[in-house]
């Protein structure tokens, strides 16, 4: 198959990582893949690094006629079998290009507020049952929806102690980590407040992510005991360094299904996550992790204290999480399920003609 992925993005986050993982997986299975979107971006650079053909597509707003025409020409001249749009704007462009060219258009909703402008696509993939529920409530028909959890690659095992030394984590520390963009939806402020509820001074928090936003500045200004909160900045090696920590926490106020939770499972970390979006579908309370109410620092602090005190229970949660990953969250599972969706619609299109 010839598969054209479309995403409007200049930054870095779960959707961008998802697209790279999906494209690389499809290429590994022998399919021809191309990306269309802004190339002055993290995703543009990632395509270059991985040798994935890419075409610059600005998509300035929803009604950039030049970008619509450019995408339509690309679909026709390259001979795409599938156009796969990610998030709202790219799905809108993919849907129109599909309609006008007679090409199968697929959309992926990566967030719980990705609802509009996807109806011209032939099929919508939700990254969680929570997203599927939102799409149904918005009026999208059940037969146009599928749930495919976002998969992540496995990672080789690394020396935990070497990583801790590299990051300056004291030997007797119970190291809590979170990775994500510094935006209010991710809830780093809640996590910092939760740490203040933890009386054990050996429990320390490490935050991964570029902390150059206005929200990050607000998080920095929260009351913090010196030495207990460390800001690690943007890291391109999150999967590797996660193995140096003891606990992963996802304190989000709003979420779909973050890749970081799956990466924590890969790293064999116990996980605490808030009861939002698709997270309770994979962070099964008392089985693969602990689930807490969003925006409740006290409850989150109690969960952290519990796992810091009961290391055997924490290890059991981590092993269960790893098994859940192996069964449901691998990149191979995600890639194969997406390809099945493509093939189903291509077969239906062939029968219609």
């Amino acid at each position: 198959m010839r598969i054209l992925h479309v995403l409007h993005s200049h930054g870095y986050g779960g959707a961008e990582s998802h697209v790279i993982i999906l494209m690389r997986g499809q290429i590994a299975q022998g399919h021809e893949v191309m990306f269309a979107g802004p190339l002055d971006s993290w995703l543009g650079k990632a395509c270059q690094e991985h040798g994935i053909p890419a075409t610059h597509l600005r998509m300035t707003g929803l009604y950039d006629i030049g970008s619509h025409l450019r995408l339509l020409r690309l679909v026709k001249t390259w001979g795409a079998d599938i156009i796969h749009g990610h998030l709202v704007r790219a799905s809108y462009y993919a849907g129109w290009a599909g309609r006008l060219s007679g090409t199968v258009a697929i959309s992926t909703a990566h967030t719980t507020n990705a609802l509009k402008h996807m109806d011209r696509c032939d099929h919508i993939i939700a990254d969680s049952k929570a997203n599927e529920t939102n799409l149904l409530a918005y009026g999208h028909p059940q037969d146009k929806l599928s749930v495919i959890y976002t998969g992540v690659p496995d990672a080789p095992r690394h020396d935990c102690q070497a990583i801790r030394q590299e990051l300056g984590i004291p030997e007797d520390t119970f190291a809590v980590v979170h990775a994500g963009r510094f935006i209010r939806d991710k809830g780093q402020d809640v996590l910092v407040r939760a740490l203040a509820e933890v009386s054990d001074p050996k429990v320390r928090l490490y935050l991964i992510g570029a902390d150059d936003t206005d929200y990050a500045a607000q998080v920095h200004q929260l009351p913090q005991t010196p030495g207990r909160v460390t800001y690690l900045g943007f890291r391109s090696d999150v999967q590797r360094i996660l193995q140096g920590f003891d606990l992963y926490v996802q304190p989000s106020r709003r979420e779909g299904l973050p890749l970081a939770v799956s990466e924590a499972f890969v790293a064999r970390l116990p996980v605490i996550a808030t009861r939002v979006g698709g997270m309770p579908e994979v962070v099964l309370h008392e089985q693969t992790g602990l689930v807490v109410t969003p925006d409740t620092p006290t409850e989150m602090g109690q969960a952290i204290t519990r796992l810091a005190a009961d290391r055997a229970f924490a290890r059991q949660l981590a092993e269960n999480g790893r098994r859940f990953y192996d069964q449901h969250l691998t990149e191979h599972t995600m890639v194969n399920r997406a390809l099945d969706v493509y093939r189903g619609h291509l077969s239906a299109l062939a029968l219609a003609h």
Side-chain angles (χ1 to χ4, degrees):
M1 280 183 278
R2 287 194 157 201
I3 307 161
L4 176 62
H5 288 272
V6 187
L7 174 63
H8 178 271
S9 167
H10 287 89
Y12 171 78
E16 293 78 13
S17 295
H18 170 99
V19 172
I20 282 292
I21 294 168
L22 189 55
M23 290 194 296
R24 293 185 68 192
Q26 290 170 347
I27 290 169
Q29 292 204 26
H31 302 283
E32 294 185 63
V33 172
M34 181 180 287
F35 171 72
L39 298 188
D40 51 343
S41 62
W42 178 89
L43 199 45
K45 293 175 184 175
C47 285
Q48 187 175 21
E49 289 173 8
H50 294 293
I52 299 172
T55 296
H56 183 65
L57 196 68
R58 293 181 308 167
M59 293 181 284
T60 305
L62 293 176
Y63 308 109
D64 181 346
I65 301 302
S67 291
H68 275 291
L69 293 174
R70 184 177 175 85
L71 179 60
L72 181 59
R73 283 197 300 271
L74 177 62
V75 169
K76 291 179 175 179
T77 57
W78 189 60
D81 299 302
I82 299 288
I83 317 167
H84 192 153
H86 298 265
L87 294 174
V88 172
R89 190 181 306 189
S91 296
Y92 185 73
Y93 279 79
W96 271 114
R99 287 284 181 91
L100 294 173
S101 65
T103 305
V104 172
I106 306 295
S107 167
T108 292
H110 295 270
T111 65
T112 52
N113 63 349
L115 301 169
K116 299 189 293 183
H117 306 304
M118 297 177 170
D119 51 329
R120 289 174 183 81
C121 290
D122 298 287
H123 198 86
I124 304 172
I125 296 170
D127 73 349
S128 63
K129 294 175 184 175
N131 274 356
E132 181 188 44
T133 298
N134 288 341
L135 289 161
L136 287 168
Y138 191 77
H140 294 288
Q142 179 71 71
D143 61 359
K144 283 190 64 172
L145 303 177
S146 295
V147 175
I148 301 177
Y149 289 136
T150 298
V152 298
D154 201 352
R157 297 299 291 166
H158 295 281
D159 186 326
C160 170
Q161 293 306 316
I163 294 170
R164 290 173 79 93
Q165 289 176 8
E166 173 191 335
L167 298 176
I169 301 173
E171 189 173 335
D172 61 348
T173 292
F174 184 81
V176 180
V177 66
H178 165 76
R181 293 174 296 151
F182 271 82
I183 57 174
R184 189 175 183 279
D185 283 348
K186 294 295 181 184
Q188 286 96 335
D189 63 304
V190 182
L191 186 48
V192 170
R193 291 187 176 100
L195 186 72
E197 303 281 339
V198 179
S199 59
D200 185 349
K202 293 180 181 178
V203 177
R204 299 190 180 191
L205 173 62
Y206 296 81
L207 296 172
I208 301 171
D211 55 339
D212 54 0
T213 63
D214 291 342
Y215 169 74
Q218 295 170 18
V219 175
H220 276 281
Q221 291 167 9
L222 292 171
Q224 297 165 35
T225 303
R228 286 197 74 191
V229 182
T230 301
Y231 298 85
L232 295 175
F234 173 80
R235 300 284 304 216
S236 60
D237 58 348
V238 172
Q239 271 201 292
R240 179 183 73 86
I241 65 172
L242 280 180
Q243 296 179 32
F245 295 92
D246 300 294
L247 170 65
Y248 183 84
V249 182
Q250 189 71 33
S252 305
R253 292 182 170 94
R254 184 177 64 81
E255 195 65 79
L257 187 62
L259 270 73
V261 168
S262 299
E263 290 174 338
F265 286 162
V266 170
R268 291 180 169 81
L269 296 184
V271 173
I272 297 172
T274 48
R275 194 176 288 103
V276 297
M279 291 197 292
E281 298 169 34
V282 299
V283 183
L284 308 176
H285 189 56
E286 304 276 351
Q287 297 177 51
T288 62
L290 297 179
V291 179
V292 299
T293 307
D295 234 332
T296 56
T298 299
E299 187 179 343
M300 188 174 291
Q302 290 170 346
I304 293 170
T305 298
R306 178 183 176 187
L307 295 185
D310 191 345
R311 304 295 180 89
F313 180 51
R315 284 193 296 272
Q316 186 59 60
L317 293 179
E319 289 306 314
N320 293 345
R322 173 65 203 206
R323 280 194 292 272
F324 190 93
Y325 162 79
D326 288 333
Q327 294 168 6
H328 305 286
L329 300 173
T330 68
E331 62 176 327
H332 303 294
T333 299
M334 174 184 70
V335 170
N336 288 335
R337 291 202 62 201
L339 291 173
D340 286 344
V341 169
Y342 299 169
R343 293 187 185 105
H345 282 275
L346 288 173
S347 295
L349 184 65
L351 287 172
H353 289 81

